[in-house]
Amino acid sequence: MQRQGRLREQEAAPIFVGVASALDHLHQRGLLHRDVKAENVLLCTGGVAKLADFGWCAELSDRDARKTFCGTLDYLSPEMLRGEEHNHAVDIWAMGVLLYEMLAGHTPFAGRGMSGSMSRISSVDLKIPEAVPAAARDLIGRLLVGDPGSRLPLAEAGCDRAGAGTPRRRRRPRRAPTELRCPARVRRRQVG
């Protein structure tokens, strides 16, 4: 990604889906990653994306929240910056930043220095370039939401491993799912 600048939607979608699937798997098992970023995504043979670096990973029960300040500035969520308790929603926020970075070629909240970036993150000062496809702009907007409880769940954000780019269904739907177009050849590889 650093060599290419930004990715086309067809290149970014399978990476996003692979990482979202990995995070959803962790979250279902009560684990948080807390350091999702482009540098922690490994691209394997055949374009399969794998999540790496579990150094900040933590267990989280249904009643618990974490308070450790950790992660990478450009990917930190507003609640993490405020020093508030956090849960799996910090990973959802980071997925929005990752998708934005893949499609725009830069992180969404870059500011003048560290304090400028922190201010933009805290106020969710999000400006998505017109060059980013409409479906991806919508998805990014649903992931990068200031209120952690209002972020689109990862199970609704990614393409179903078995399907034709169809988002997975939740037991309690919150909003209409958003869909990224995943090439059929990539979906076939993710099933196995």
Side-chain angles (χ1 to χ4, degrees):
M1 202 166 73
Q2 291 173 342
R3 281 178 275 150
Q4 287 183 287
R6 60 187 176 108
L7 303 177
R8 294 186 324 256
E9 183 181 19
Q10 298 86 341
E11 297 167 316
I15 296 168
F16 177 85
V17 169
V19 176
S21 176
L23 283 174
D24 190 41
H25 178 83
L26 288 174
H27 294 171
Q28 288 178 19
R29 283 149 185 79
L31 298 169
L32 310 178
H33 188 277
R34 301 191 302 176
D35 198 21
V36 174
K37 58 183 174 181
E39 294 83 358
N40 288 342
V41 176
L42 306 176
L43 295 180
C44 302
T45 305
V48 175
K50 296 193 177 188
L51 188 57
D53 191 352
F54 293 85
W56 284 116
C57 197
E59 283 188 84
L60 183 72
S61 74
D62 290 339
R63 296 178 305 270
D64 291 339
R66 306 299 288 199
K67 201 160 181 169
T68 305
F69 185 88
C70 56
T72 302
L73 176 61
D74 289 330
Y75 286 81
L76 293 179
S77 65
E79 64 270 23
M80 182 77 77
L81 282 178
R82 290 189 297 265
E84 297 172 356
E85 290 185 338
H86 56 270
N87 59 23
H88 66 282
V90 298
D91 289 340
I92 296 171
W93 173 275
M95 284 301 296
V97 175
L98 178 65
L99 182 58
Y100 181 106
E101 183 177 9
M102 287 191 293
L103 295 171
H106 57 87
T107 56
F109 301 106
R112 292 185 182 213
M114 187 184 304
S115 62
S117 294
M118 291 171 69
S119 175
R120 290 197 63 208
I121 293 168
S122 295
S123 64
V124 193
D125 181 16
L126 179 63
K127 297 174 178 90
I128 304 173
E130 289 296 318
V132 173
R137 279 197 315 270
D138 179 61
L139 179 54
I140 291 166
R142 291 179 182 210
L143 298 170
L144 296 178
V145 175
D147 173 21
S150 297
R151 294 179 193 146
L152 184 70
L154 289 176
E156 292 179 26
C159 300
D160 192 319
R161 290 180 147 265
T166 307
R168 291 184 224 160
R169 291 171 33 117
R170 272 182 56 121
R171 286 180 222 139
R172 296 176 302 131
R174 283 188 173 163
R175 304 180 196 175
T178 301
E179 186 175 310
L180 283 179
R181 292 184 298 264
C182 297
R185 63 181 167 70
V186 172
R187 286 193 305 272
R188 283 191 295 274
R189 269 187 245 132
Q190 290 177 337
V191 172

